Amino acid sequence: MAWFKREIKGIITTTEEKKETPDGIWNKCPQCKKPLHYSEQVENQYVCHYCGFHLRIGSKEYFSVLFDDNEFTELFPNMVSGDPLNFTDTKKYSERLVETQFKTGLKDAIRAAVGKIDGQDIVIACMDFTFIGGSMGSVVGEKIARSIDYSIEHNIPFLMISKSGGARMMEAAFSLMQMAKTSAKLALLSQAKIPYISLLTDPTTGGVTASYAMLGDINIAEPGALIGFAGPRVIKETIKKDLPKGFQTAEFVQEHGFLDFIVDRREMKAELAAFLRMMKN
Ligand SMILES: [Zn+2]
């Protein structure tokens, strides 16, 4: 009966000291529904190794996939959005910002950094969808503009990784102005003959597609990414016609001439390095 008695005293672990499996160590692939262990995801650049589905990741993961040894210097890390319109929807915009910053650990829907890809200098600005749907507010626009200034000043190619639901409604016209501002800055980059690569990831829509995401010297996308301006339902209701199969996927968009390449994330770094080398010569 000794089996059922705790004979050794003092092995009581307090709740705080109990080790639990951290959340999110197993994820289900949204496409094939197979379980993916976190270490497998990291190893495969966050691509499902069963079906090739590209999991939705943020700037932290993209930086780790692309920068040599995950080494980079973050640019303008402390920029935060104001609330110029004193906007309230279901809650105050100023409160929503603070809450989202706390929840995501991000300051806004974009991070910029300078580092190296395969030994070559690069400035990368990468959007984060977890921050209010990757919406393009004034901080997103301003960080892109300043990253481009940095690229021009130091003669370093610029890579933009887009992932966005479009304009940030809570900043209304201030948000829309970012389209003109970033496009104008990209024209200056082009005048300085510095390469601009645009990488469109799932999803890239709205004002982001209508400005900087489509202005690359090379526009590339990840497989299966949703790329469009208005959503399919709105278009269907407007034109009163059924939409073709695969509408607004990266593959469809490429077939219709808006993208140069679709690149698997596992080959992304090597491809980008090759583009950079090619454009330098
Ligand atoms: Zn899968």
Side-chain angles (χ1 to χ4, degrees):
M1 292 303 283
W3 277 12
F4 303 104
K5 261 192 223 152
R6 179 169 280 177
E7 295 199 318
I8 305 165
K9 299 264 189 251
I11 52 166
I12 298 155
T13 316
T14 57
T15 313
E16 304 88 77
E17 285 176 335
K18 277 184 185 157
K19 289 194 176 70
E20 281 179 22
T21 322
D23 279 341
I25 206 149
W26 287 95
N27 254 346
K28 202 155 84 171
C29 169
Q31 187 167 275
C32 72
K33 314 286 181 211
K34 292 210 170 92
L36 302 170
H37 192 269
Y38 181 71
S39 63
E40 289 173 335
Q41 292 173 40
V42 174
E43 211 174 296
N44 289 294
Q45 274 92 49
Y46 310 91
V47 175
C48 172
H49 58 280
Y50 298 106
C51 71
F53 182 82
H54 283 50
L55 298 165
R56 228 180 239 184
I57 54 174
S59 58
K60 178 172 171 271
E61 290 81 11
Y62 276 109
F63 288 170
S64 76
V65 167
L66 296 177
F67 281 126
D68 293 351
D69 305 317
N70 199 14
E71 273 173 25
F72 57 87
T73 311
E74 195 168 342
L75 302 171
F76 333 109
N78 295 317
M79 262 166 114
V80 288
S81 192
D83 182 7
L85 302 173
N86 202 5
F87 192 87
T88 306
D89 45 60
T90 50
K91 64 177 90 157
K92 288 182 72 141
Y93 178 44
S94 53
E95 282 168 20
R96 191 185 292 279
L97 282 170
V98 174
E99 242 169 61
T100 314
Q101 282 160 357
F102 181 75
K103 212 164 61 189
T104 59
L106 298 161
K107 292 280 197 290
D108 209 288
I110 192 167
R111 281 168 74 217
V114 59
K116 284 182 194 296
I117 283 188
D118 209 7
Q120 304 172 90
D121 289 327
I122 189 147
V123 173
I124 305 180
C126 180
M127 302 188 75
D128 277 291
F129 197 78
T130 51
F131 198 100
I132 319 185
S135 50
M136 174 192 55
S138 38
V139 169
V140 169
E142 186 60 23
K143 267 203 194 182
I144 293 172
R146 289 192 194 185
S147 301
I148 296 168
D149 284 341
Y150 187 95
S151 278
I152 295 172
E153 205 176 303
H154 297 86
N155 195 15
I156 299 174
F158 179 54
L159 167 67
M160 179 71 223
I161 304 176
S162 297
K163 186 181 285 290
S164 175
R168 187 169 296 171
M169 297 307 162
M170 304 84 168
E171 292 187 24
F174 289 95
S175 172
L176 297 180
M177 285 172 199
Q178 309 311 314
M179 297 167 67
K181 180 164 77 183
T182 52
S183 302
K185 282 286 181 191
L186 285 170
L188 294 178
L189 188 74
S190 172
Q191 267 176 21
K193 302 214 182 309
I194 297 170
Y196 169 43
I197 301 172
S198 175
L199 168 58
L200 293 83
T201 70
D202 185 59
T204 298
T205 61
V208 171
T209 314
S211 60
Y212 53 85
M214 283 295 184
L215 293 174
D217 296 315
I218 300 180
N219 295 325
I220 54 182
E222 288 184 340
L226 173 84
I227 297 166
F229 182 66
R233 195 171 45 88
V234 176
I235 298 174
K236 200 175 159 183
E237 277 168 18
T238 310
I239 64 170
K240 313 267 183 240
K241 268 186 194 162
D242 282 333
L243 299 169
K245 205 166 163 265
F247 184 66
Q248 289 185 330
T249 58
E251 291 73 12
F252 186 93
V253 175
Q254 185 195 25
E255 213 171 284
H256 290 80
F258 288 95
L259 287 174
D260 297 300
F261 300 98
I262 294 172
V263 181
D264 190 294
R265 195 184 289 154
R266 290 164 287 190
E267 272 108 54
M268 190 65 75
K269 184 172 175 170
E271 290 283 333
L272 288 171
F275 288 145
L276 291 174
R277 217 162 282 132
M278 186 181 78
M279 288 192 275
K280 204 195 280 176
N281 298 320

